[in-house]
Amino acid sequence: MKSQKFTLSLLTLIFGCYAFGQNATNELPVSIEKEFSIHKNVQQHTNAIFDSLVKIRRDFHSYPEVSEQEKRTSKKVAAYLESLGLEVKINIGGYGVVGILNTGKIGKRIAWRADIDAIASDIPDVVDFKSKNAGVRHICGHDVHTTIGLGIANVLASQKENLTGTVYFIFQPAEEIFKGAKAMIDDGLFDIINPDEIYGLHMSPSPTGVISTKSENIYAHRAKIEVAYKNSINKDAAIKYTKELISKLQTYEPKSEFWDDRNILNPELGVENPNTIYKDYIAVRSDFHIDQSDDELKISTVIDASHMNKLNSFLESIKTEIGHSNFSKDLLSVEFSFVLEANKSPMNDKVLTNETMNSISNIYGEQSVIPMFGVAPGQFGDDFTFFQKHTPGVYFFLGGSNYEKGIISMSHTPNFQVDEECIKTGVNYFSSMIIERLNN
Ligand SMILES: [Zn+2]
Ligand SMILES: [Zn+2]
């Protein structure tokens, strides 16, 4: 996950997640025993390999590698997949690795993606198994994502006789710089694999034992809005008018509760409440930037929108208002563009989101799956969205915090840590989910 300027206090997190977290447990009850015996196998196998997965995760954590330099990680991943008997392809779009688990029986083709890169950071590591690579740390949890991907591959390989179809495991480099997914695709990923559906996860500050997601975008659409006038205009007046207009058209007052990032997980206001304040909004996120050339005066700012249609209608409203103003005759254009020329939010398929949330909830209990009703504003994104442009799929959040132990899995914060029990949660839930997708 790419993020910026996102801080959450320990207290708010404890408060914010308690209502949902209190029933979550890592002892995973199988609700309908007879039908779900394969999921008992999953849980037994996960328990059996759990200690080895923790070791693997700590090894990745101790040897983090920044985007496009994931040489060691990639080698370890490939060797592990080979040891499971998977067909392995390496060096796809840089250090990308793909493992193919072919059951030999005709069936669905499901892809699972894990990102493998770490982040440049000089702040000392907070765990005992500290980073040995100076200036690099796994503070986005991709060491955990990679480990869970390997764990799922191990569990599903152990159940191969009971499965149909094919599972592809994609280990993607360079997520932090929003390049790796596209690089893998440009390097022919979809010539090697041909998935019907694709899934992946990211750590979240929710408690261990729960996952959450929603259909469609899971982060705000962040875009740059630009209003261009002919340079003959009365500049000072036009700048003043345009700033006031755009500020007026946003849906939250600059001093409202919306702007406190700690409210994103607040049970009263946050994204997990059906009436969340993060459900339906347009918010101006940065100061205005003025750009003058010989021909044009451009006024721009960055906004977050909860929905694409909100963004489009915001643009129309600006055009309409300016069209009725004194500046009408000098208006050249009103446009928006995305940072890095791409909409950064993963876009979850509606049907698959509902079906997968239901299947995990049926197997592991209702308390394990938290639906989201809104999207966090901010500079968040994941280039998983590039895979979803090709193949429908779902991106999940996996809780990794343990408030009693003081562990907060808030990505990109200096104190980022995870409760390693979340590895078990991830391997169990998503192995079972993939089995349900393959066999039903
Ligand atoms: Zn990340
Ligand atoms: Zn990140």
Side-chain angles (χ1 to χ4, degrees), residues 61 120-139 413-417:
H61 192 90
S121 169
D122 286 324
I123 300 168
D125 214 336
V126 289
V127 291
D128 293 339
F129 41 100
K130 293 182 194 311
S131 167
K132 292 186 167 78
N133 293 346
V136 187
R137 283 176 67 201
H138 267 299
I139 52 170
T413 57
N415 296 328
F416 175 82
Q417 277 192 74

Side-chain angles (χ1 to χ4, degrees), residues 1-3 119 139-140 142 175-176 202 411-412:
M1 175 175 70
K2 295 181 64 63
S3 74
I119 301 171
I139 52 170
C140 203
H142 298 190
E175 189 282 327
E176 291 293 344
H202 204 289
S411 290
H412 291 231

Side-chain angles (χ1 to χ4, degrees), residues 77-277:
V77 165
Y80 190 93
L81 296 172
E82 263 163 22
S83 78
L84 298 174
L86 270 61
E87 186 187 343
V88 179
K89 311 276 186 189
I90 60 167
N91 298 338
I92 305 167
Y95 289 111
V97 178
V98 172
I100 302 172
L101 175 64
N102 188 340
T103 66
K105 285 159 271 175
I106 293 170
K108 244 188 234 164
R109 295 163 305 229
I110 305 294
W112 179 265
R113 173 274 212 168
D115 43 8
I116 65 174
D117 54 329
I119 301 171
S121 169
D122 286 324
I123 300 168
D125 214 336
V126 289
V127 291
D128 293 339
F129 41 100
K130 293 182 194 311
S131 167
K132 292 186 167 78
N133 293 346
V136 187
R137 283 176 67 201
H138 267 299
I139 52 170
C140 203
H142 298 190
D143 51 341
V144 179
H145 303 173
T146 308
T147 304
I148 289 172
L150 296 176
I152 297 170
N154 192 325
V155 169
L156 296 185
S158 80
Q159 300 301 309
K160 191 173 164 182
E161 300 306 312
N162 301 321
L163 304 177
T164 60
T166 303
V167 188
Y168 306 115
F169 295 92
I170 301 167
F171 291 86
Q172 182 214 306
E175 189 282 327
E176 291 293 344
I177 55 171
F178 212 69
K179 283 186 178 173
K182 191 166 182 302
M184 288 188 83
I185 295 166
D186 291 347
D187 203 14
L189 175 70
F190 289 119
D191 299 330
I192 300 167
I193 67 171
N194 186 22
D196 300 307
E197 301 167 14
I198 186 162
Y199 300 95
L201 64 75
H202 204 289
M203 301 308 305
S204 86
S206 292
T208 300
V210 304
I211 58 162
S212 56
T213 195
K214 68 184 278 294
S215 64
E216 300 178 330
N217 57 309
I218 55 133
Y219 297 120
H221 301 294
R222 168 160 287 201
K224 181 182 167 189
I225 292 268
E226 190 173 78
V227 181
Y229 297 100
K230 289 177 204 157
N231 213 9
S232 53
I233 200 166
N234 176 341
K235 290 189 196 69
D236 289 345
I239 290 167
K240 185 171 182 287
Y241 167 78
T242 308
K243 280 182 177 179
E244 282 173 3
L245 173 65
I246 291 177
S247 301
K248 183 187 85 180
L249 289 173
Q250 69 177 332
T251 51
Y252 282 97
E253 290 292 317
K255 283 183 180 163
S256 74
E257 62 217 336
F258 177 88
W259 299 97
D260 186 344
D261 286 340
R262 291 173 298 184
N263 283 331
I264 292 170
L265 282 178
N266 180 320
E268 307 288 321
L269 308 169
V271 295
E272 293 170 357
N273 186 306
N275 300 314
T276 175
I277 58 173

Side-chain angles (χ1 to χ4, degrees), residues 302-347:
V302 172
I303 63 152
D304 285 340
S306 58
H307 300 85
M308 276 306 289
N309 59 10
K310 271 276 195 208
L311 192 54
N312 288 317
S313 60
F314 187 64
L315 225 58
E316 287 311 311
S317 302
I318 295 170
K319 278 183 200 166
T320 306
E321 294 253 357
I322 298 175
H324 292 134
S325 77
N326 295 337
F327 306 101
S328 165
K329 62 178 175 26
D330 293 309
L331 180 67
L332 291 172
S333 61
V334 183
E335 288 170 346
F336 70 80
S337 57
F338 290 112
V339 184
L340 299 173
E341 285 141 34
N343 190 355
K344 289 170 125 186
S345 177
M347 296 289 284

